[in-house]
């Protein structure tokens, strides 16, 4: 029998070791980067953590840098979408209302992506990937500051605090959750989101003399 007469079926695409698809490897990598530090973690360390060979990991990803890029995108993509949507003028919806919604949604996004956001907050611009992530964070700060300025112009917020400072303080309050918030802890997500929004905007509200 010749190869032409009885061609072998095309081999099925390997899926790797059961339980360790690309997303599972990414989750494990982020946890390890947060625990040991990205620079101090090698692909060999990750393989040992998962009980895999490095070859098995390279079946799913090309490099440690790819894992970092995917983790930072996971931390930033949904928040970018939230801020982009809030930056658009909407009929019947004030800048102040959109700003409050951004803050609440930021809490929800952080909790949903807490490991990746934790990693994001630790990058210092040591590579092109990290620099790109920091640039995206600056864009978010700028968009939020513009929304704050619009809310001030509406007369909804006090005008004696620079919008850029307000933006940083708001995101700083939300980002502090990575240090202590646990989904199975004493406070549920809705309560935390309500508390941050109330505290922030009670302090920022414009009060008549």
């Amino acid at each position: 029998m010749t190869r032409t007469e009885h061609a072998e079926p095309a081999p099925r695409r390997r899926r790797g070791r059961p339980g360790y698809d690309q997303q599972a490897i990414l989750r494990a990598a982020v946890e390890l980067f947060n625990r040991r530090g990205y620079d101090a973690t090698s692909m060999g360390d990750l393989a040992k953590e998962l009980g895999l060979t490095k070859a098995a990991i390279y079946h799913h990803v090309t490099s440690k840098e790819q894992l970092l890029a995917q983790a930072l995108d996971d931390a930033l993509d949904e928040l970018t979408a939230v801020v982009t949507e809030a930056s658009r003028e909407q009929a019947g919806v004030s800048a102040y209302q959109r700003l409050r919604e951004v803050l609440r949604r930021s809490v929800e996004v952080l909790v949903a992506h807490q490991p990746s956001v934790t990693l994001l907050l630790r990058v210092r611009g040591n590579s092109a990937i990290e620099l790109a992530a920091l640039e995206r964070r600056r864009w978010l700060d700028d968009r939020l500051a513009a929304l704050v300025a619009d809310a001030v112009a509406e007369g909804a917020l006090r005008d004696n605090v620079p919008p850029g400072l307000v933006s940083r303080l708001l995101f700083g309050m939300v980002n502090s959750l990575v240090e202590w918030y646990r989904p199975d802890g004493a406070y549920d997500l809705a309560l935390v989101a309500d508390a941050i929004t109330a505290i922030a905007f009670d302090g920022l509200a414009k009060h008549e003399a």
Side-chain angles (χ1 to χ4, degrees):
M1 297 181 186
T2 67
R3 183 181 298 272
T4 301
E5 292 170 335
H6 296 283
E8 293 292 331
R12 297 178 64 184
R13 187 178 183 274
R14 290 178 298 138
R15 300 185 64 84
R17 181 171 172 170
Y20 291 109
D21 59 12
Q22 186 168 349
Q23 286 303 309
I25 290 172
L26 179 60
R27 286 193 297 271
V30 170
E31 192 279 330
L32 197 59
F33 294 160
N34 284 335
R35 183 170 10 119
R36 300 187 55 170
Y38 171 75
D39 291 331
T41 302
S42 67
M43 291 295 270
D45 295 327
L46 179 58
K48 182 178 180 181
E49 182 82 4
L50 292 170
L52 299 174
T53 63
K54 286 198 291 185
I57 293 178
Y58 285 125
H59 176 86
H60 295 284
V61 297
T62 60
S63 64
K64 186 175 81 164
E65 291 74 21
Q66 182 188 0
L67 288 167
L68 177 63
Q70 290 175 343
L72 297 180
D73 283 345
D74 180 67
L76 286 162
D77 284 352
E78 190 173 352
L79 182 58
T80 299
V82 168
V83 172
T84 298
E85 178 63 24
S87 297
R88 299 191 183 104
E89 292 189 6
Q90 303 168 33
V93 183
S94 67
Y96 174 74
Q97 290 171 312
R98 287 180 278 132
L99 182 61
R100 287 185 70 103
E101 182 63 13
V102 165
L103 191 62
R104 167 176 283 283
R105 291 284 291 116
S106 295
V107 174
E108 295 170 353
V109 169
L110 181 144
V111 170
H113 303 271
Q114 191 165 349
S116 296
V117 175
T118 300
L119 180 62
L120 170 67
L121 296 177
R122 294 176 179 175
V123 303
R124 294 293 179 265
N126 295 331
S127 67
I129 292 170
E130 293 188 12
L131 287 170
L134 293 177
E135 183 61 31
R136 291 183 70 182
R137 286 189 66 188
R138 282 190 289 271
W139 183 89
L140 291 169
D141 279 332
D142 290 345
R143 292 296 88 213
L144 195 67
L147 197 53
V148 171
D150 289 344
V152 170
E154 291 174 348
L157 299 182
R158 60 197 303 169
D159 59 5
N160 61 341
V161 183
L165 176 58
V166 173
S167 173
R168 288 179 177 273
L169 291 174
L170 291 177
F171 274 143
M173 188 183 301
V174 174
N175 289 339
S176 70
L177 294 178
V178 303
E179 302 297 335
W180 62 268
Y181 181 79
R182 298 295 177 268
D184 58 352
Y187 308 110
D188 66 30
L189 174 57
L191 177 62
V192 172
D194 285 343
I196 288 179
T197 303
I199 290 169
F201 288 99
D202 284 353
L204 288 169
K206 184 176 182 179
H207 301 286
E208 298 297 334

